[in-house]
Amino acid sequence: MTQPSTERGREAAADVDLPTQYRPADVEGRLYERWVSEGLFTADPERAPGRPAFSIVIPPPNVTGSLHMGHALDHSIQDTLVRRRRMQGHETAWVPGMDHAGIATQNVVERELAKEGLSRHDLGREAFVERVWQWKAESGGRILGQMRRLGDSVDWTREAFTMDDDRARAVRTIFKRLFDDGLIYRAERIINWCPRCLTALSDIEVEHEEVDGELVSIRYGSGEDEIVVATTRAETMLGDTAVAVHPDDERYARMVGREIELPLTGRRIPVVADEHVDPAFGTGAVKVTPAHDPNDFEIGRRHDLPSLSAMDERGVVTAPGPFEGLDRFEARPAVVAALREQGRIVAEVRPYKHSVGHCQRCSTVVEPRVSLQWFVKVETLARAAGDAVRDGRVAIHPPEMAARYFEWVDNMHDWCISRQLWWGHRIPVWYGPDGEVVCPGPEEEPPAGWTQDTDVLDTWFSSALWPFSTLGWPDETPDLKRFYPTSVLVTGYDILFFWVARMMMFGLYAMDGVQPFDAIALHGMVRDQFGKKMSKSFGNVIDPLDWIDRYGADATRFTLLRGANPGGDVPVAEDWAQGSRNFCNKLWNATRFALINGAHVRGEVPAEVSTVDAWILSRLQAVIAEVDGHLEAYDFAKACEALYHFAWDEVCDWYVELAKVQLADERAGTTRRVLGEVFDNLLRLLHPVVPFVTEELWTSLTGGATVVTAPWPAAERGRADGAAEELVGSLQRMVTEVRRFRADQGLKPGQRVAARIEWNGSALQDHEDGIRALLRLTEPGEEFSSTASLPVEDVKVHLDTAGAIDVAAERKRLEKDLAAARKEVDQARRKLGNEAFMAKAPEAVVAKNRERLAQAEADIGRLEAQLAGLPADRS
């Protein structure tokens, strides 16, 4: 029988330039700069017109931002999609860029000014905006460099900014069209207001958190006209203009239409009936403050109630009386104290937990406030956005997220688009001396002497144009013709409404009913290993750049993608990143082994190959098909799992070990070519996920210029070999069972043991060399004595463990385990035989005890057999 020969295996060894260890820091920066300089990421709309196009616009990160785990996940998903399509021969355009982030950027620059003892008002509008542009040039856009660290294969020649000249022209164009179509209007409405930033806020700029407040029940009116209402914001009662009850609430039927006294103010307010009121909540009566609550504002509109503002834009009370001039949070206890003094307080609950909105940028409590603002009329736009998903033009992945999308677009309110800031796209409306209003187009001049509106547009207005403004709209550009609609939008489910719905509305409107993307692939939030949201206050925030520094970009990406189930949140942990780094190292070492042993890709794979070679080629084809299916379904977690287990388990742990035997005999030439074939395809399959390590390995293996544009593997039906898979599966089961048996016998994994194998005509005998190598079994010598035997897969393996184990110690260990198993059986039988227990215990508990009994009985049988199989103690 032939044993593997190290010398014979080295006869065809190749000169390998790869270092013995993979060091990401030595590879990543060098490779990325080469990819960019060679134009591998650059798209050409006029190249190969027949080639399919694939395009993605990056969700533009804020110019103030830096790479966080959510970005890293989002970008890793997009890069995986783009790199795969590029390898499949698509003309790929991945458009990068940044959002000007109006309020966030203005706050950053204002803080810088404050260090100099200045405010924006000291500079004036024009000089302040110039200062922001200067800040952007010097400090903004750190995240673009961080995207390079992650390996984003974006087309840097197409970099865009939501405030650059091309995007400004697009903004002016669509505003003009919407204005002329009557879809933009100006009106007094209630909006989110930040008293610190002094601007309206979009819903996404408001973060809600549970806080400890107080719930105060106040008696309005007196005698028969008495009504009790409850509020967490007592100071707003100064702006109340009604009390509302449900029309069917008989308790208050007699009072509807009458007026009652509003405490502290000397005013009388009506009692109105409105369907919005929940008669089962509290007293069934609510105070109505149209100027300071969105729901109250709507009640006010339905009943023609006045809106009395009790506070100014800074949250200072303006209502005449003793509270005038107090900050809202000073006024609250003062109002309660005054009501208590008058005997108007019926009940007080504190602490009372409730959700309160805070400004995302400065954490100030948001104040709902009636204000004169600009709005987009969304009814027809939102209907079109819903229809595009309903009729299949746009597919949402995972499909169950579509219900959430419909809930939002079908119930959308008009969109407040004006912001009281200086940094942003200024609203292109001018006012004449006699109140005239004009909205000139981007190529038109406003009338001389007219005044432009001072507000700027909500940041989301310009980013809603991103899928087509980045491709040259409003001009009919080659980019727009080739790459619109974009292929897929990858984004978190948390901004499905705020950004996705707005892009859908504007894309369909501007592009004559053509959707901005064919698919929406939604992912969840990155959380810690316990599923907890990452937060500085929790101390569980992980910096992706820290992981990239320590484990490499590939390991960081693989960790994130391996947890990216469609639409689900993604848990991550430090040890998972370490495991991903180990995977990259395993891939490096295995490919290096293959190269040292002459693996190559020259010529066709021979038609006649060994069973082991046929098995791995068959498995390769199955994995190619499986990975393709998962990636088409945006299931990155399953794709990564399939690749991980194929690479680590099947290729490295099984095929490479079996190939070592073949490399030492007459099959070496064929095996070298099969090794090359397997690693060539495996590295190409892995490239979209872990681009750096695969580039370094693939170019060394194949001599190709780059794996970036190498063809994506295609499954070949002719390679499937069920017989080879069945035989190697039998071999794997045999080896696994013998390894377990060896461990039960107290043998260490690397310990060599003499063995005699009864093959009984099994086809596995043809693989004896490989089996012995995997199991560390030597040939039986003249003094061989079987001390332990195991029947497995129609084969019987006899081991001579005499001298290989400490028989006395092993017997002691097994007897201890046997005693524990017998005790477990005893306890389980007593419980199951106890009538009282069986009568009262839940079925699940009874089933669990039956499982414990069955397992313990099986353990007893196994342990007794092991004890019987031990050799006599020769000490």
Side-chain angles (χ1 to χ4, degrees):
M1 206 172 309
T2 306
Q3 289 294 319
S5 166
T6 304
E7 292 306 315
R8 290 182 64 184
R10 286 177 179 166
E11 286 175 5
D15 291 328
V16 178
D17 293 331
L18 291 174
T20 54
Q21 287 186 316
Y22 176 53
R23 301 184 188 279
D26 297 340
V27 170
E28 293 173 353
R30 166 173 55 83
L31 290 183
Y32 194 86
E33 291 310 312
R34 177 168 66 79
W35 290 335
V36 173
S37 65
E38 292 178 1
L40 298 180
F41 306 155
T42 304
D44 182 349
E46 297 177 345
R47 177 169 52 200
R51 177 187 297 172
F54 184 82
S55 56
I56 289 183
V57 290
I58 210 163
N62 286 353
V63 67
T64 58
S66 59
L67 192 71
H68 58 63
M69 274 299 182
H71 288 129
L73 169 66
D74 197 69
H75 290 206
S76 296
I77 289 173
Q78 290 176 74
D79 198 34
T80 297
L81 294 172
V82 170
R83 286 181 182 271
R84 175 169 172 259
R85 290 298 190 213
R86 188 182 288 121
M87 295 173 76
Q88 288 178 321
H90 290 63
E91 190 67 29
T92 57
W94 186 13
V95 181
M98 292 184 299
D99 191 282
H100 64 280
I103 191 169
T105 307
Q106 180 156 319
N107 281 346
V108 167
V109 177
E110 286 197 78
R111 283 196 295 268
E112 293 295 315
L113 285 174
K115 294 175 185 177
E116 304 170 26
L118 299 171
S119 74
R120 61 180 164 124
H121 300 286
D122 294 323
L123 270 66
R125 183 168 194 148
E126 189 174 328
F128 176 77
V129 170
E130 188 177 328
R131 181 71 175 260
V132 180
W133 278 108
Q134 180 185 336
W135 175 87
K136 177 196 178 282
E138 295 173 357
S139 307
R142 273 184 308 165
I143 199 168
L144 298 180
Q146 294 165 351
M147 286 162 56
R148 291 173 176 259
R149 293 285 313 276
L150 190 64
D152 286 7
S153 63
V154 297
D155 183 348
W156 290 108
T157 67
R158 298 169 183 276
E159 185 183 332
F161 180 53
T162 53
M163 282 278 286
D164 63 29
D165 290 343
D166 290 337
R167 261 45 65 185
R169 182 164 166 258
V171 166
R172 291 281 300 276
T173 300
I174 200 162
F175 190 100
K176 168 70 171 172
R177 291 187 187 178
L178 290 163
F179 184 88
D180 289 349
D181 286 347
L183 295 175
I184 282 183
Y185 66 93
R186 196 183 192 208
E188 282 199 336
R189 298 283 186 272
I190 195 160
I191 44 85
N192 300 309
W193 181 266
C194 176
R196 184 261 172 217
C197 298
L198 299 180
T199 181
L201 302 175
S202 67
D203 290 339
I204 199 171
E205 292 167 326
V206 178
E207 292 187 342
H208 292 269
E209 55 185 81
E210 293 286 318
V211 301
D212 286 335
E214 63 175 351
L215 182 67
V216 182
S217 296
I218 308 168
R219 179 169 51 84
Y220 283 22
S222 58
E224 292 184 353
D225 290 343
E226 179 178 299
I227 294 181
V228 176
V229 299
T231 181
T232 58
R233 306 174 67 221
E235 72 280 5
T236 63
M237 68 164 292
L238 302 173
D240 284 1
T241 56
V243 169
V245 297
H246 194 274
D248 300 331
D249 195 334
E250 294 180 359
R251 293 172 295 176
Y252 303 112
R254 62 182 177 78
M255 298 187 64
V256 174
R258 295 167 65 175
E259 290 188 342
I260 60 173
E261 180 188 352
L262 177 65
L264 305 182
T265 67
R267 290 191 287 114
R268 295 184 68 79
I269 57 176
V271 177
V272 299
D274 195 275
E275 295 278 353
H276 172 75
V277 180
D278 181 359
F281 182 77
T283 63
V286 297
K287 60 191 286 297
V288 181
T289 321
H292 293 281
D293 183 274
N295 294 321
D296 292 2
F297 181 79
E298 295 303 323
I299 293 175
R301 291 180 69 181
R302 287 193 288 272
H303 298 276
D304 200 24
L305 300 172
S307 289
L308 299 182
S309 180
M311 284 172 275
D312 66 12
E313 69 274 11
R314 296 183 184 274
V316 174
V317 174
T318 56
F323 312 106
E324 188 174 3
L326 292 180
D327 175 82
R328 54 188 170 152
F329 298 120
E330 296 172 335
R332 184 173 299 169
V335 167
V336 172
L339 289 166
R340 191 183 296 115
E341 189 176 333
Q342 290 188 6
R344 294 281 183 179
I345 300 296
V346 177
E348 296 178 73
V349 179
R350 64 168 71 90
Y352 178 76
K353 280 201 173 295
H354 62 129
S355 181
V356 175
H358 293 72
C359 175
Q360 186 186 57
R361 300 304 170 189
C362 69
S363 299
T364 300
V365 172
V366 168
E367 187 66 42
R369 183 169 185 263
V370 170
S371 179
L372 183 61
Q373 302 286 346
W374 286 94
F375 294 85
V376 171
K377 192 180 294 184
V378 301
E379 183 181 2
T380 57
L381 301 173
R383 188 185 310 120
D387 290 345
V389 174
R390 286 188 173 94
D391 64 24
R393 280 174 287 161
V394 179
I396 293 180
H397 300 275
E400 55 267 25
M401 286 285 183
R404 183 182 296 189
Y405 174 80
F406 293 134
E407 182 182 344
W408 282 333
V409 297
D410 293 347
N411 298 285
M412 194 182 296
H413 298 293
D414 285 359
W415 171 17
C416 176
I417 57 171
S418 46
R419 298 290 179 267
Q420 289 64 55
L421 303 171
W422 286 357
W423 172 245
H425 291 279
R426 196 163 169 182
I427 288 180
V429 170
W430 275 258
Y431 304 106
D434 298 318
E436 305 96 327
V437 178
V438 66
C439 177
E443 315 301 333
E444 300 170 350
E445 288 294 325
W450 285 33
T451 305
Q452 187 175 0
D453 196 292
T454 57
D455 289 351
V456 300
L457 287 163
D458 177 12
T459 295
W460 297 96
F461 190 96
S462 50
S463 58
L465 315 183
W466 197 245
F468 50 96
S469 69
T470 52
L471 298 176
W473 188 89
D475 295 331
E476 290 290 335
T477 63
D479 274 0
L480 200 63
K481 184 177 180 181
R482 186 79 186 274
F483 297 121
Y484 189 92
T486 59
S487 305
V488 60
L489 173 76
V490 177
T491 191
Y493 62 67
D494 53 323
I495 56 172
L496 179 59
F497 169 68
F498 302 108
W499 187 43
V500 179
R502 284 157 166 70
M503 284 190 290
M504 287 282 279
M505 290 193 301
F506 278 8
L508 292 162
Y509 173 80
M511 299 300 293
D512 299 321
V514 179
Q515 68 278 8
F517 21 76
D518 295 328
I520 302 168
L522 298 170
H523 58 76
M525 299 170 64
V526 181
R527 298 181 178 271
D528 70 13
Q529 60 185 313
F530 306 109
K532 202 170 185 179
K533 181 181 178 180
M534 287 192 180
S535 165
K536 289 180 181 178
S537 61
F538 297 151
N540 62 350
V541 174
I542 300 171
D543 184 349
L545 292 174
D546 178 49
W547 276 13
I548 291 172
D549 288 339
R550 288 192 286 151
Y551 307 122
D554 289 331
T556 302
R557 292 165 60 118
F558 195 74
T559 302
L560 291 165
L561 289 165
R562 201 174 175 190
N565 294 294
D569 288 339
V570 181
V572 296
E574 183 89 10
D575 55 344
W576 301 349
Q578 293 170 358
S580 296
R581 176 198 58 194
N582 295 343
F583 175 68
C584 292
N585 290 340
K586 184 88 167 179
L587 192 66
W588 182 272
N589 294 334
T591 309
R592 194 170 180 276
F593 162 84
L595 283 166
I596 289 172
N597 285 276
H600 64 87
V601 295
R602 297 183 300 276
E604 295 295 322
V605 175
E608 295 296 324
V609 296
S610 71
T611 302
V612 169
D613 289 339
W615 162 73
I616 197 64
L617 291 171
S618 182
R619 288 296 305 131
L620 172 64
Q621 300 313 309
V623 168
I624 291 172
E626 183 182 357
V627 169
D628 267 334
H630 292 321
L631 291 179
E632 289 294 331
Y634 304 100
D635 197 331
F636 303 95
K638 286 183 179 177
C640 287
E641 281 299 294
L643 287 166
Y644 176 88
H645 289 294
F646 177 67
W648 192 299
D649 300 343
E650 297 186 278
V651 175
C652 296
D653 286 357
W654 288 102
Y655 180 65
V656 165
E657 293 303 313
L658 291 168
K660 288 177 181 177
V661 175
Q662 299 184 165
L663 288 167
D665 59 30
E666 67 281 355
R667 297 170 291 184
T670 299
T671 296
R672 291 187 188 106
R673 180 63 188 88
V674 173
L675 270 170
E677 184 75 3
V678 170
F679 279 98
D680 169 27
N681 282 272
L682 175 59
L683 293 170
R684 283 187 278 148
L685 285 172
L686 279 164
H687 174 70
V689 178
V690 285
F692 293 108
V693 67
T694 50
E695 172 81 342
E696 195 78 344
L697 293 174
W698 188 85
T699 53
S700 294
L701 173 70
T702 66
T706 178
V707 72
V708 172
T709 52
W712 178 254
E716 303 172 31
R717 291 183 181 177
R719 286 288 186 194
D721 192 325
E725 290 200 39
E726 185 176 347
L727 182 61
V728 175
S730 178
L731 182 154
Q732 290 172 320
R733 290 189 295 274
M734 175 189 172
V735 169
T736 300
E737 188 61 24
V738 175
R739 281 174 173 166
R740 188 194 65 76
F741 183 70
R742 278 178 52 117
D744 288 343
Q745 294 297 313
L747 296 169
K748 295 176 182 177
Q751 193 170 359
R752 295 197 173 276
V753 181
R756 179 169 58 82
I757 305 175
E758 292 179 30
W759 293 106
N760 302 321
S762 171
L764 292 175
Q765 185 168 4
D766 293 339
H767 302 279
E768 181 171 356
D769 286 352
I771 290 170
R772 284 186 176 275
L774 288 164
L775 288 170
R776 306 293 192 268
L777 302 179
T778 61
E779 293 285 351
E782 291 182 4
E783 298 184 2
F784 177 84
S785 174
S786 176
T787 57
S789 300
L790 173 70
V792 56
E793 294 293 312
D794 298 328
V795 172
K796 196 163 189 181
V797 180
H798 303 276
L799 303 175
D800 184 353
T801 59
I805 60 172
D806 183 337
V807 176
E810 186 62 15
R811 187 179 300 279
K812 188 176 180 181
R813 182 184 72 81
L814 290 172
E815 286 173 344
K816 181 180 177 182
D817 290 348
L818 183 60
R822 285 172 174 161
K823 183 179 179 181
E824 179 74 9
V825 165
D826 241 8
Q827 291 175 342
R829 282 178 176 166
R830 275 202 305 272
K831 279 191 175 181
L832 293 170
N834 185 320
E835 291 183 9
F837 170 79
M838 294 297 286
K840 295 179 180 179
E843 183 55 39
V845 174
V846 173
K848 186 70 176 174
N849 273 275
R850 285 178 176 144
E851 288 174 17
R852 287 173 58 191
L853 175 61
Q855 182 60 54
E857 287 174 338
D859 288 344
I860 289 172
R862 176 175 58 81
L863 293 164
E864 286 177 341
Q866 288 176 230
L867 278 165
L870 282 176
D873 190 349
R874 298 175 185 175
S875 59

